[in-house]
Amino acid sequence: MPNEKEKKYDRQLRLWGNHGQQALEDSQICLLNATATGTEIMKNLVLPGIGGFTIVDNDVVSMQDVGNNFFLTEDFIGSTKAQAATKLLKELNPDVKGVAAEESLATLLEKDPEYLCKFSIVIACDVEEDTLLSLSNKLWEKNIPLMVCISYGAIGYMRLVFKEMCVVETHPDNYFEDFRLLNPFPELCEYLKTIDIDALDSKGHSHVPYLVLLHKYLEEWKEQNGGEPPKVYKEKKKFAAFLMSKRRKNDKGACLDEENFEEAYKSVNTALVDVAVPRDVKEILEHENCTNLNSDSKPFWVLCQALKRFVDEHQTLPLSGSLPDMFSDSASYIKLQNVYQNKAKQDMICLMDNVSKVYADLGCIYDNGRMSEAEIKRFCRNSRLLKVVRTKSLEVEYRQTAPSDDVTQSFHDNTSDILWYVALRAAQKFRKEQRRFPGIETLEGDLKPLKDCSEKLVGSWGVPQVQLAALDDRLHEICRYGGAELHAIASFLGGVAAQEAIKLLTHQYVPVVDALIYDGIKPSTTAFRV
Amino acid sequence: MCDTEERHDPNQSRWSHLRNILGRRGMFNQEDFIPDESILDCMLNDLKILVIGAGGLGCELLKDLTLSGLLNIHVIDMDTIDLSNLNRQFLFRQSDIGKPKAEVAAAFINQRVPGANVKPHFTKIQEKDDDFYRDFHIVVCGVDSILARRWINGMLLSLLEYDSDGKLDQSSVRILVDGGTEGFKGNVRVITPGMSACLECTLDLYPPQVNYPMCTIAHTPRQPEHCVEYIKMFLWEKEDPFGGLPIDGDNTQHIEWIFNSAQARAREYGIQGVTYRLTQGVIKRIIPAVASTNAVIAAACVNEVFKCATQCYTPMNNYMVFNDVNGVYSYTFAAERNSRCLVCSQQPRTLNFTTDAQLRQLIDHLQQDPTLQMKNPSLTTMIGGKNKTLYMTNIPSIEQATRPNLSKTLQDLGLEDGCEVVCADITNPSAMRFILHFTNIIITRKRKLEAGEEIIESRKRVLLLSETL
């Protein structure tokens, strides 16, 4: 029976589970600047129940600020934005602790250079370039993710900065089950031997799970084809026809409409794939973080080494044990499912054993404090789907003499959203030099200096100084905005960024790498590497 | 709308952000966008927006609209607030549980955004008439029911007016922006009734809900969901645990009983995985939901409303899908108008059946065809100049009286090739017209010429029609 909290969070628990929720509730988030974008991100983090948050924004609320920000109101004119936003955000969820920092970011960091290091994630909205770089380096050093989020007029920009994110539960929309058709394990072979399809009556025959059909007739096929399974498309087609020929016939000699055979037929192409160790997983197991462990290594990498030892011994990943539903009588399906689940359990025990050994080799004891059995189980079930992603540091992004291919290629595509990234970087340079948003007073007056900033940036990348009308148009548009934030754009970005933060906190679902542009004009979103 | 309300000053500094966007022409604006104070003035004071739904999307829509300068809004929602709403429906608090969503949402927004004039309607959309809907310029839909969407789509299409030349009167076009979410996925569409694809044009994008096969539930359960469905479909009626009451998904006692019974059945078959959460999910057909996706989709909707209201950018053409399961993915495409659309093509659809088909088969087709997906259609026709009810579902006495018609053949019911069948269903406020075509008859045409009668026969057909036709 669910408790009050489980009832409140029911709809989201179905997406990230109780363990994901716990990760959220253990987190502390810091927001730098209560812009419309910033408060919208926080709204979408407070509602699902993060542990707590701190807002740093010493600016005083003015009439201009209350028109596009749900969490700044006229009542708070004269107070700091941090105070206003914190109070109004806390109202959304009494379980969440919120604090308004009393001082400016500069003062806080002066007093305590490690101020930001106590947070799980830092979200920077509209932080000046030099400050941003400096705090980014600190956070990078401490392995704390940073998110940079801004919206200007109809454009939104989000940048994720983290060294490494290890995702066990990626929850892909589509993936293929591990049936072991091409390398059935002994217990499965034993079980299949007990089934004599031809001896079954018509009801039994039409209720044999399609997976059993595939196994059985694959064996027969192999016997007739020099021990080889069908590999190429043509062969698989022949096998599918072979399979269908095994249907029972009526008195007129026509094949019966057996649903289990239909299911088998449809799955031939995807089920007969040798998926021993997917490439992504291989790369993870060969990474030095997995092979060169130390006592400080993340549990994920310890698990990876345990997994590597498993793969070295068995030439395959642990069985996940899950089967899709298939047309069948209950008993046959359950028996088959049990065979797979028992094998999965066996593999799990073997993996857990390896984990102990890995810790022993490191000179530590494995206990539930380091890693729970539930965690190992999840890792085991998802071993084929593991993903590790890494972003570029802000330091490298701002110092590099050549950007990513994504950015370079955008100069050849008039419609590319990534050109907005270039324009926003130029605007940030302008702000650093002029201490204000471009276009805030005059569009024409600011356009030339903004274009100069852009040329300098593009020049520093070694991109030939070709007149790029598409980029100029965007610089003009940025100038036109004069730093204005449109609430709908801020809210869109608020939703996107909050979900990325949740991914980083729960370690579930794959985050964006490295950045995203939202163009509200088209509309379109483009994720890219910086 | 209140007569005594003030006119809002577009020069207020709270709207400075909007004035930046609307005040100067840029390189991405629509051809005919002319910056002018009157645009903001119109948004603040004259434009009337209707929001359907005050839940996950609705709360976000109300916030986004009012903070975009669109202050005059009506919101309809027939639901009351539940604890499980609080993880995303941010205008509601613990103390609001049980109260009507529309009323609480409107009150919150009116209090938070000075100048906001949100009027709530705690009612079903079907309970409002043409005149109500006529009052609005733009309608934004944030509902969780395909039925509701279709009804609104049908309503807005029925409000279209054409002049004597058959040309569409632009002022009768009310734009519909529709948003939907499910977990980490969502979509937004902009519908310009009479001009763009309407919702029904792409009805097959919403495939009918998949139900588990009866025989699986009754005889060969394999999954925990099958066990729960069994209790819902068979055991509840058989054991009647709560004195004749139907299953109420919000009643914890009901769910507990179903949960325990489902567990027992699962044990019988060796099935694992029946949990309370799963049981509730199956019974209530729960769709997972989070604040972030609702924020994204509602914002995308209001972004389009803003474009329509200001003409500053070209509105989206016309359907966007969004998914942030893996990274962030979105894609926009132009859904095409269906020239045979039941609702917007203004042409009656043809139904092809044989003379010996039963009325029940015709009704099954109306329900199951993915481009029709009717719920409980009532059918009438004209025979010999008189109106005849073939089958009516919504009035119990007439339903009973016309029920025998279901097993009669179309021919026996007096239907003729080419006759019009009019269909009423909850998916549309207007009736829908079909032309019946018999596929198994020879086309014979009795043409009374001035000189005499002529019968034209096609000798290639197999069956001969009797002279009564």
Side-chain angles (χ1 to χ4, degrees):
Chain A
M1 273 290 290
N3 59 35
E4 288 306 290
K5 215 158 65 159
E6 280 177 314
K7 281 186 202 164
K8 177 165 89 166
Y9 295 136
D10 177 83
R11 300 298 185 268
Q12 67 200 41
L13 292 174
R14 290 167 192 275
L15 291 166
W16 53 68
N18 289 24
H19 59 291
Q21 185 64 29
Q22 191 59 54
L24 284 185
E25 291 175 17
D26 291 340
S27 70
Q28 294 288 325
I29 313 290
C30 183
L31 174 69
L32 303 176
N33 292 323
T35 61
T37 307
T39 56
E40 286 300 308
I41 299 173
M42 290 315 299
K43 162 177 121 294
N44 300 321
L45 291 174
V46 168
L47 285 168
I50 51 172
F53 66 92
T54 299
I55 301 186
V56 179
D57 192 335
N58 234 32
D59 277 358
V60 165
V61 179
S62 73
M63 196 49 153
Q64 257 191 323
D65 300 319
V66 306
N68 65 357
N69 193 324
F70 197 72
F71 299 96
L72 300 178
T73 60
E74 281 181 43
D75 296 341
F76 286 94
I77 291 182
S79 308
T80 66
K81 290 185 188 174
Q83 282 167 340
T86 300
K87 175 153 196 295
L88 295 180
L89 281 165
K90 279 177 73 169
E91 286 176 5
L92 300 179
N93 191 342
D95 298 335
V96 179
K97 294 179 173 43
V99 165
E102 315 248 323
E103 289 148 321
S104 70
L105 180 64
T107 313
L108 290 168
L109 290 174
E110 211 181 282
K111 287 187 176 174
D112 176 10
E114 309 272 299
Y115 174 80
L116 293 174
C117 300
K118 58 179 178 281
F119 295 100
S120 323
I121 295 182
V122 174
I123 302 173
C125 292
D126 259 356
V127 173
E128 187 272 322
E129 191 176 303
D130 288 339
T131 315
L132 187 64
L133 272 164
S134 152
L135 63 87
S136 169
N137 287 339
K138 194 54 142 172
L139 294 171
W140 182 264
E141 193 193 314
K142 299 283 183 182
N143 278 313
I144 296 171
L146 167 68
M147 295 178 57
V148 180
C149 304
I150 51 168
S151 75
Y152 264 24
I155 308 302
Y157 172 68
M158 174 185 73
R159 164 80 156 99
L160 303 191
V161 191
F162 53 80
K163 263 194 202 156
E164 179 181 271
M165 193 59 49
C166 303
V167 188
V168 172
E169 294 176 273
T170 54
H171 304 284
D173 280 331
N174 298 298
Y175 67 92
F176 300 117
E177 304 281 4
D178 186 7
F179 292 149
R180 297 293 162 88
L181 273 172
L182 299 178
N183 52 339
F185 45 94
E187 296 85 345
L188 179 56
C189 294
E190 284 303 311
Y191 172 67
L192 291 169
K193 280 203 193 101
T194 67
I195 303 173
D196 183 355
I197 299 188
D198 295 331
L200 295 169
D201 64 13
S202 62
K203 187 161 177 216
H205 191 265
S206 63
H207 281 76
V208 175
Y210 81 80
L211 189 50
V212 172
L213 296 176
L214 285 174
H215 274 290
K216 288 290 223 181
Y217 293 122
L218 184 62
E219 277 310 303
E220 215 180 293
W221 172 277
K222 276 162 48 175
E223 278 165 29
Q224 296 172 17
N225 285 277
E228 291 297 322
K231 292 190 185 99
V232 294
Y233 179 70
K234 267 200 188 136
E235 285 169 12
K236 287 186 188 175
K237 233 179 141 190
K238 279 201 193 133
F239 173 70
F242 170 70
L243 185 83
M244 288 305 255
S245 73
K246 299 292 182 178
R247 288 176 294 173
R248 293 267 166 91
K249 298 184 170 60
N250 62 19
D251 340 304
K252 296 199 183 114
C255 280
L256 292 172
D257 238 333
E258 294 179 283
E259 198 169 329
N260 52 346
F261 278 84
E262 278 297 324
E263 284 186 344
Y265 181 80
K266 284 188 193 139
S267 74
V268 164
N269 279 325
T270 53
L272 289 173
V273 171
D274 182 1
V275 97
V277 183
R279 193 185 43 159
D280 276 359
V281 180
K282 247 194 216 137
E283 269 175 32
I284 292 172
L285 297 183
E286 282 161 13
H287 197 273
E288 59 167 355
N289 288 3
C290 171
T291 55
N292 300 353
L293 289 179
N294 57 57
S295 54
D296 289 326
S297 290
K298 276 192 261 192
F300 176 84
W301 292 112
V302 172
L303 279 165
C304 282
Q305 201 182 96
L307 186 65
K308 188 172 200 313
R309 293 186 191 195
F310 183 101
V311 173
D312 289 342
E313 189 188 330
H314 298 97
Q315 268 76 62
T316 181
L317 289 168
L319 195 63
S320 73
S322 64
L323 291 182
D325 193 24
M326 38 191 92
F327 187 83
S328 161
D329 64 279
S330 306
S332 305
Y333 179 81
I334 301 296
K335 279 200 202 118
L336 182 67
Q337 194 180 51
N338 285 341
V339 170
Y340 278 82
Q341 282 179 354
N342 288 336
K343 179 66 177 172
K345 272 195 203 120
Q346 258 184 48
D347 286 354
M348 226 279 287
I349 291 169
C350 185
L351 188 74
M352 281 188 73
D353 213 41
N354 284 1
V355 171
S356 307
K357 290 199 187 109
V358 170
Y359 272 121
D361 290 350
L362 284 175
C364 334
I365 303 167
Y366 159 57
D367 61 25
N368 232 34
R370 287 183 174 276
M371 189 186 317
S372 67
E373 193 177 306
E375 225 174 300
I376 301 178
K377 253 201 191 125
R378 274 195 295 272
F379 184 90
C380 200
R381 263 207 312 268
N382 285 280
S383 63
R384 286 168 60 221
L385 305 171
L386 303 175
K387 225 163 157 74
V388 175
V389 289
R390 301 178 178 94
T391 74
K392 200 175 263 185
S393 74
L394 220 61
E395 175 79 25
V396 170
E397 179 190 354
Y398 277 69
R399 305 273 181 254
Q400 62 191 0
T401 52
S404 68
D405 285 343
D406 288 342
V407 176
T408 312
Q409 274 160 29
S410 73
F411 289 105
H412 304 286
D413 177 2
N414 286 352
T415 64
S416 172
D417 287 345
I418 301 173
L419 289 172
W420 288 112
Y421 164 74
V422 182
L424 290 173
R425 285 287 306 273
Q428 197 181 31
K429 268 207 182 323
F430 180 103
R431 271 192 81 192
K432 179 168 140 172
E433 288 167 16
Q434 313 275 353
R435 308 242 150 245
R436 60 185 172 78
F437 289 100
I440 210 163
E441 300 290 319
T442 138
L443 193 163
E444 300 72 22
D446 282 348
L447 190 54
K448 176 82 180 38
L450 181 60
K451 281 190 181 172
D452 289 341
C453 288
S454 171
E455 265 168 47
K456 255 189 246 149
L457 175 67
V458 171
S460 77
W461 287 337
V463 175
Q465 300 283 19
V466 165
Q467 268 304 330
L468 193 50
L471 178 56
D472 281 348
D473 285 349
R474 285 162 173 78
L475 291 167
H476 182 280
E477 186 73 355
I478 295 287
C479 233
R480 191 174 82 89
Y481 296 149
E485 251 187 316
L486 279 177
H487 183 81
I489 305 296
S491 193
F492 185 101
L493 196 65
V496 170
Q499 192 49 40
E500 293 306 301
I502 291 174
K503 290 179 189 175
L504 301 182
L505 295 169
T506 59
H507 292 262
Q508 297 184 39
Y509 302 93
V510 181
V512 165
V513 178
D514 309 298
L516 183 98
I517 285 282
Y518 167 55
D519 175 343
I521 303 171
K522 280 181 186 162
S524 72
T525 60
T526 300
F528 63 101
R529 286 194 176 266
V530 293
Chain B
M1 201 149 116
C2 166
D3 290 330
T4 57
E5 101 222 6
E6 53 196 289
R7 257 193 107 71
H8 298 287
D9 179 6
N11 284 315
Q12 267 190 299
S13 54
R14 62 165 50 243
W15 305 121
S16 63
H17 296 270
L18 291 175
R19 281 203 301 279
N20 278 21
I21 308 300
L22 301 173
R24 310 182 269 204
R25 258 199 77 86
M27 315 301 277
F28 296 88
N29 292 129
Q30 273 196 139
E31 285 284 313
D32 48 10
F33 170 67
I34 300 165
D36 189 84
E37 268 296 319
S38 63
I39 299 176
L40 185 53
D41 185 56
C42 178
M43 282 168 65
L44 293 171
N45 296 298
D46 302 319
L47 277 178
K48 293 181 74 168
I49 316 286
L50 176 63
V51 173
I52 318 270
L57 283 171
C59 289
E60 293 279 342
L61 289 170
L62 292 174
K63 163 180 71 75
D64 297 347
L65 287 166
T66 50
L67 289 179
S68 302
L70 293 154
L71 300 179
N72 298 299
I73 303 172
H74 286 233
V75 60
I76 303 183
D77 194 311
M78 62 183 193
D79 270 342
T80 55
I81 298 162
D82 179 72
L83 177 56
S84 66
N85 298 149
L86 301 185
N87 79 326
R88 63 202 184 280
Q89 300 175 23
F90 63 96
L91 300 177
F92 312 141
R93 303 284 172 263
Q94 185 89 23
S95 54
D96 294 321
I97 292 176
K99 294 186 194 161
K101 289 188 181 182
E103 290 170 12
V104 178
F108 196 116
I109 294 285
N110 290 336
Q111 206 270 328
R112 177 62 59 93
V113 182
N117 178 21
V118 182
K119 181 153 188 229
H121 300 268
F122 175 39
T123 180
K124 288 199 171 111
I125 50 176
Q126 292 87 351
E127 276 157 41
K128 296 290 190 189
D129 62 12
D130 286 20
D131 285 331
F132 174 78
Y133 292 102
R134 236 182 271 277
D135 221 15
F136 299 98
H137 301 101
I138 301 175
V139 178
V140 193
C141 221
V143 296
D144 56 5
S145 135
I146 297 170
L147 211 62
R149 286 186 172 92
R150 291 174 72 182
W151 196 92
I152 288 291
N153 181 69
M155 168 54 74
L156 293 184
L157 277 155
S158 75
L159 297 180
L160 291 176
E161 279 162 29
Y162 296 82
D163 65 23
S164 46
D165 296 329
K167 213 170 145 231
L168 178 62
D169 174 6
Q170 293 286 322
S171 70
S172 70
V173 175
R174 290 158 185 84
I175 301 223
L176 172 62
V177 180
D178 176 78
T181 63
E182 196 175 307
F184 295 124
K185 300 182 187 155
N187 58 71
V188 178
R189 47 193 311 182
V190 178
I191 294 169
T192 314
M195 297 171 69
S196 76
C198 83
L199 207 106
E200 292 275 328
C201 288
T202 55
L203 194 59
D204 49 5
L205 283 180
Y206 302 105
Q209 228 166 13
V210 176
N211 292 312
Y212 304 108
M214 263 318 179
C215 58
T216 302
I217 298 180
H219 304 296
T220 58
R222 298 175 296 267
Q223 307 297 335
E225 289 85 353
H226 299 159
C227 300
V228 178
E229 283 281 337
Y230 176 80
I231 311 305
K232 173 177 149 193
M233 311 238 75
F234 299 110
L235 205 70
W236 182 275
E237 204 178 298
K238 187 167 157 215
E239 302 212 349
D240 191 19
F242 292 93
L245 287 176
I247 295 177
D248 176 2
D250 293 318
N251 185 323
T252 43
Q253 284 188 310
H254 289 201
I255 300 289
E256 249 195 287
W257 190 90
I258 296 172
F259 169 53
N260 290 324
S261 311
Q263 268 192 326
R265 183 164 173 83
R267 268 196 298 272
E268 208 186 306
Y269 285 88
I271 297 171
Q272 314 270 356
V274 175
T275 61
Y276 188 93
R277 189 177 288 168
L278 181 133
T279 304
Q280 212 182 20
V282 172
I283 296 296
K284 294 181 70 169
R285 292 198 185 272
I286 289 177
I287 296 175
V290 284
S292 58
T293 319
N294 281 316
V296 167
I297 295 302
C301 285
V302 172
N303 188 30
E304 297 307 314
V305 174
F306 184 79
K307 291 176 192 171
C308 293
T310 60
Q311 305 278 297
C312 65
Y313 298 118
T314 312
M316 170 174 80
N317 181 21
N318 54 45
Y319 197 124
M320 178 177 94
V321 297
F322 174 89
N323 184 341
D324 62 0
V325 164
N326 186 349
V328 169
Y329 170 79
S330 74
Y331 173 65
T332 307
F333 66 96
E336 280 178 11
R337 237 183 133 168
N338 182 357
S339 57
R340 291 176 61 229
C341 177
L342 197 59
V343 174
C344 80
S345 70
Q346 296 186 287
Q347 309 220 2
R349 189 90 83 88
T350 307
L351 292 173
N352 294 309
F353 284 90
T354 57
T355 50
D356 59 348
Q358 292 180 359
L359 183 65
R360 157 179 296 125
Q361 283 169 259
L362 194 145
I363 291 183
D364 282 347
H365 171 75
L366 292 176
Q367 289 176 314
Q368 285 158 22
D369 184 296
T371 60
L372 295 171
Q373 291 190 53
M374 301 211 182
K375 292 290 161 192
N376 246 333
S378 297
L379 303 174
T380 59
T381 187
M382 288 284 250
I383 296 185
K386 283 210 211 135
N387 203 6
K388 176 178 174 144
T389 302
L390 294 168
Y391 184 60
M392 177 149 302
T393 57
N394 51 347
I395 300 169
S397 57
I398 307 183
E399 194 278 325
Q400 219 168 4
T402 54
R403 206 184 302 163
N405 289 347
L406 291 175
S407 41
K408 292 195 183 147
T409 68
L410 301 178
Q411 190 172 356
D412 286 344
L413 287 166
L415 292 163
E416 300 186 343
D417 181 63
C419 74
E420 187 177 271
V421 174
V422 177
C423 172
D425 186 56
I426 47 171
T427 52
N428 197 322
S430 313
M432 294 160 278
R433 289 158 53 223
F434 292 90
I435 302 291
L436 184 60
H437 171 57
F438 287 132
T439 56
N440 60 333
I441 59 160
I442 298 172
I443 300 168
T444 75
R445 229 181 274 140
K446 261 187 175 171
R447 251 197 311 172
K448 264 191 182 164
L449 298 177
E450 298 206 306
E453 290 177 31
E454 239 180 69
I455 298 174
I456 302 159
E457 276 183 340
S458 165
R459 295 191 185 284
K460 290 174 194 161
R461 306 281 176 154
V462 176
L463 296 173
L464 191 64
L465 189 67
S466 86
E467 265 146 64
T468 55
L469 289 170

